[in-house]
Amino acid sequence: MRYFNCSMIVFILIIQNVNSQNLLLKGKLIGFEDGTRIIINPFLDNLDINRDDETELLLNNGEFEFAKHLDKPTKYSIRVRPVKVENLTEYEDLTFWTENTPMTLNGIKGQVFQSEIKGSEIQDQYFEYIKSIFKLQDLVKQIMDSVKTMPNLSEDKKSEMRTRFRSISDIIEKRKWDFVYGNPQYFCASPELVFLITFYPEHLEKGKLYKFYTEMPPVLKSKVYGQQIKAFVDKNKTKLPELKIGDYPYNFSLNDTAGNEIKFSSINGKIILLDFWGAGCGPCRMKNKNYVKLYADYKGKGFEIVSVSTDQSKKMLAKAMKEDKVTWISLWDEKKEIHRDMYQIKALPTSYLIVDGKIMAIDLSGDDLRHEIEKILNKTKN
């Protein structure tokens, strides 16, 4: 009982303290050129990155400084982008928790994810999880760097790397669930749990969720994340079966970027490519480049593309569409109900090739997708 009371006092002091100061983050990153871009974004309450609130800074002597007044402890993303954009292995990212207090960040090139960040008790708690996945995250970066720098890898090698990537990612995800469930007294645990439930609902264990909520300090239960977790506890939602080849796709209605409501069932086309994507997803953007040529070649032959964006920001969606020359049907899943609850999308990009109303293939891309469309069209001619 004495420990529980101390925890409550600590969190009350944290919440009171963040309202009396400002966040001042002083960063030092060793090994990068002057002019290296540091892109900083806060996360929203559902821990989706806020693309509309973005700060871009340039490293000077390896240093940068970021100041802001926060309404509450906030998770932030930092993306490190090289002066020469072709230096693909120098793209690095990290996430961390901030408070209205002086903070320092010290990291080195190649290991930015492991940067030492001091000044926030909430970040100290979150770093317990980060430390548990250092080596795994290094392996993920090695795989991603190999994909970026060796575009001519054989299909067998690509398949092997995808398998390794998924295996490592699954371990990272499990460790995050374990960290969150094991620390209901941590401020960072409840928002991280909200994120996991929102984006990986299929892995939720209801018994552990209930135990987590009952063990949360009352001061955290009263916050926005505590209220969301309470809603998850109270919610008893039946999931639709996961779609597979041969199934009919689920019908839905969403608005396009102009605000027009479009029903999926109203879209005409013998062949429809239903593609779930996001503006911040690199592989999605690469696929869009391929779709431009594909759409130009086949749109007059009964082929249609329907892209469903999972972006939080309509502004970022519109920007990405313009940059990628998206001229096909593009819908905005603002509330994430279609991709998360209905289609149960586990990773972006995910696509369904639909022929005569039925799912014929899942996640075809590149030449494989083109050959399949050609085969279907040639069969129709005969």
Side-chain angles (χ1 to χ4, degrees), residues 2 57 107 110 121 149 161 168 171 173 207 224 240-241 348 362 382:
R2 185 173 303 166
L57 305 170
E121 182 174 349
T149 58
M161 292 172 75
I168 297 168
I171 296 172
E173 183 189 330
V224 61
L240 293 167
L348 296 178
I362 299 174
N382 298 330

Side-chain angles (χ1 to χ4, degrees), residues 250-304:
Y250 295 126
N251 190 28
F252 57 87
S253 295
L254 286 173
N255 289 347
D256 61 18
T257 50
N260 302 309
E261 183 180 2
I262 296 179
K263 290 184 178 180
F264 183 63
S265 60
S266 70
I267 296 170
N268 295 318
K270 175 179 176 57
I271 307 171
I272 297 175
L273 182 67
L274 175 60
D275 183 67
F276 289 87
W277 73 295
C281 165
C284 302
R285 304 293 294 275
M286 292 295 292
K287 273 196 168 186
N288 279 348
K289 292 180 180 179
N290 295 328
Y291 291 163
V292 170
K293 183 68 167 62
L294 200 69
Y295 194 56
D297 291 344
Y298 299 116
K299 66 179 180 180
K301 301 178 182 180
F303 175 65
E304 187 57 76

Side-chain angles (χ1 to χ4, degrees), residues 80 86 135-136 149 157 168 196 253 270 340 351 362 377:
V80 182
E86 64 270 22
K135 292 181 180 179
L136 295 172
T149 58
K157 189 63 177 176
I168 297 168
L196 288 169
S253 295
K270 175 179 176 57
R340 182 190 64 205
S351 63
I362 299 174
L377 292 175

Side-chain angles (χ1 to χ4, degrees), residues 157-378:
K157 189 63 177 176
K158 287 180 182 177
S159 176
E160 176 191 332
M161 292 172 75
R162 281 194 294 267
T163 300
R164 285 184 62 213
F165 180 85
R166 292 192 189 104
S167 176
I168 297 168
S169 297
D170 287 345
I171 296 172
I172 290 175
E173 183 189 330
K174 183 181 184 305
R175 289 192 182 177
K176 192 163 193 176
W177 280 103
D178 290 344
F179 166 77
V180 168
Y181 279 139
N183 295 287
Q185 76 280 11
Y186 283 0
F187 181 95
C188 65
S190 48
E192 295 295 338
L193 182 55
V194 169
F195 173 84
L196 288 169
I197 294 172
T198 301
F199 292 96
Y200 304 97
E202 70 279 3
H203 294 159
L204 173 66
E205 295 183 59
K206 294 180 180 179
K208 289 184 178 180
L209 171 63
Y210 180 77
K211 184 175 183 291
F212 179 95
Y213 182 73
T214 58
E215 294 179 358
M216 285 178 68
V219 68
L220 293 184
K221 285 184 178 179
S222 67
K223 303 302 173 185
V224 61
Y225 301 118
Q227 293 169 7
Q228 287 177 292
I229 291 172
K230 176 64 164 57
F232 288 133
V233 169
D234 294 340
K235 190 176 181 181
N236 184 13
K237 190 171 184 178
T238 303
K239 286 169 53 174
L240 293 167
E242 189 171 343
L243 290 171
K244 58 186 184 297
I245 293 172
D247 289 342
Y248 292 97
Y250 295 126
N251 190 28
F252 57 87
S253 295
L254 286 173
N255 289 347
D256 61 18
T257 50
N260 302 309
E261 183 180 2
I262 296 179
K263 290 184 178 180
F264 183 63
S265 60
S266 70
I267 296 170
N268 295 318
K270 175 179 176 57
I271 307 171
I272 297 175
L273 182 67
L274 175 60
D275 183 67
F276 289 87
W277 73 295
C281 165
C284 302
R285 304 293 294 275
M286 292 295 292
K287 273 196 168 186
N288 279 348
K289 292 180 180 179
N290 295 328
Y291 291 163
V292 170
K293 183 68 167 62
L294 200 69
Y295 194 56
D297 291 344
Y298 299 116
K299 66 179 180 180
K301 301 178 182 180
F303 175 65
E304 187 57 76
I305 301 176
V306 180
S307 288
V308 177
S309 161
T310 63
D311 289 295
Q312 185 73 33
S313 167
K314 187 177 180 181
K315 178 180 176 182
M316 290 300 298
L317 167 60
K319 182 173 180 288
M321 288 175 59
K322 183 177 181 181
E323 290 175 350
D324 295 356
K325 298 180 174 59
V326 173
T327 58
W328 52 87
I329 298 169
S330 185
L331 307 177
W332 185 30
D333 188 11
E334 179 183 11
K335 296 180 180 178
K336 305 184 185 301
E337 293 175 344
I338 306 305
H339 95 274
R340 182 190 64 205
D341 298 331
M342 182 177 283
Y343 277 79
Q344 300 169 51
I345 301 300
K346 297 179 178 61
L348 296 178
T350 291
S351 63
Y352 299 87
L353 187 64
I354 300 163
V355 181
D356 292 332
K358 283 188 177 183
I359 296 172
M360 183 172 211
I362 299 174
D363 285 338
L364 280 182
S365 61
D367 290 341
D368 290 338
L369 176 58
R370 178 175 286 273
H371 292 158
E372 192 62 40
I373 293 172
E374 284 280 3
K375 186 168 71 173
I376 295 165
L377 292 175
N378 288 335

